Amino acid sequence: MALDNLGQLHEAIVAGLRAKLGPAAKTVEAYPDIGRRIDIPAVFLELSEFEAGTDPGTGETALVVHLQARAIVDPNQRQAYLLVRELAARIAVAIQSENWGLPIGLATLLQAGEDAMKPELDSYLVWLVEWTHEIHLGQVTWPYPDETGLSLLLGIYPETGTGRADRYWPAGESPPDDWGESPHVR
């Protein structure tokens, strides 16, 4: 199953971070208009890049998306240097093994650290948390159901062959609990 679009990913992450961070972040937004007044502490989300993922063989496009969340704190606030680090750590905890309820790979934290890459945020203390997800976009190119009526069964030698059909099991399932206890196995 694939995502319909990247907006779906952004909406799910913003909603998830809002829920997990609670009052620790007054603002959680993707691609905000930074020219306006910001309610801080704030977390700003953006997708910074993507690269090829592991091809699922379905016709969908696999991408590893790199996401960034900026933790933003007022430098004049008491203990601001600790607070910005605390907010960044909360983001790292919030993304841990998260998929935001979407059919995507679990989050993998890459790094967190001080950020000075957005000049429009120079008057704030900013830490950047970076992570990845593998996602699939696009449509399955073979959407037809299997109408062959055939099943793939698995067996492991020496419990295979004529007269041992009861020792086979469907692909995708575990071997029978008593596998290996057959008198055929020596």
Side-chain angles (χ1 to χ4, degrees):
M1 181 179 219
L3 291 177
D4 294 329
N5 56 59
L6 293 175
Q8 184 182 10
L9 176 66
H10 286 72
E11 289 171 14
I13 295 173
V14 167
L17 287 175
R18 281 182 182 147
K20 287 187 169 196
L21 297 175
K26 290 182 181 176
T27 304
V28 179
E29 294 181 20
Y31 312 104
D33 175 12
I34 298 176
R36 63 172 170 75
R37 188 179 185 291
I38 302 169
D39 286 331
I40 49 178
V43 174
F44 292 166
L45 174 74
E46 66 181 59
L47 191 153
S48 61
E49 64 181 328
F50 48 82
E51 59 194 58
T54 304
D55 186 348
T58 61
E60 299 162 314
T61 300
L63 300 173
V64 176
V65 294
H66 291 249
L67 293 141
Q68 299 177 333
R70 285 181 169 76
I72 304 163
V73 171
D74 179 351
N76 299 314
Q77 188 175 353
R78 192 169 155 250
Q79 296 188 322
Y81 288 91
L82 177 60
L83 292 174
V84 73
R85 286 158 175 82
E86 180 66 34
L87 182 54
R90 287 176 186 248
I91 294 167
V93 169
I95 67 167
Q96 180 65 35
S97 298
E98 184 64 69
N99 69 355
W100 317 106
L102 298 173
I104 63 174
L106 298 177
T108 301
L109 178 66
L110 297 178
Q111 66 179 352
E114 201 166 0
D115 180 52
M117 298 306 291
K118 292 262 187 213
E120 55 271 38
L121 295 174
D122 280 350
S123 59
Y124 301 97
L125 289 180
V126 182
W127 263 52
L128 182 69
V129 179
E130 296 181 279
W131 73 96
T132 62
H133 288 284
E134 179 156 332
I135 68 169
H136 297 160
L137 291 173
Q139 300 298 316
V140 174
T141 56
W142 188 264
Y144 309 105
D146 180 5
E147 296 174 349
T148 65
L150 302 175
S151 298
L152 176 64
L153 298 175
L154 303 175
I156 301 176
Y157 180 82
E159 294 193 36
T160 59
T162 305
R164 297 189 180 121
D166 64 322
R167 303 307 297 158
Y168 288 81
W169 64 91
E173 293 183 15
S174 298
D177 290 336
D178 66 342
W179 188 87
E181 297 174 14
S182 167
H184 304 291
V185 177
R186 297 183 172 102

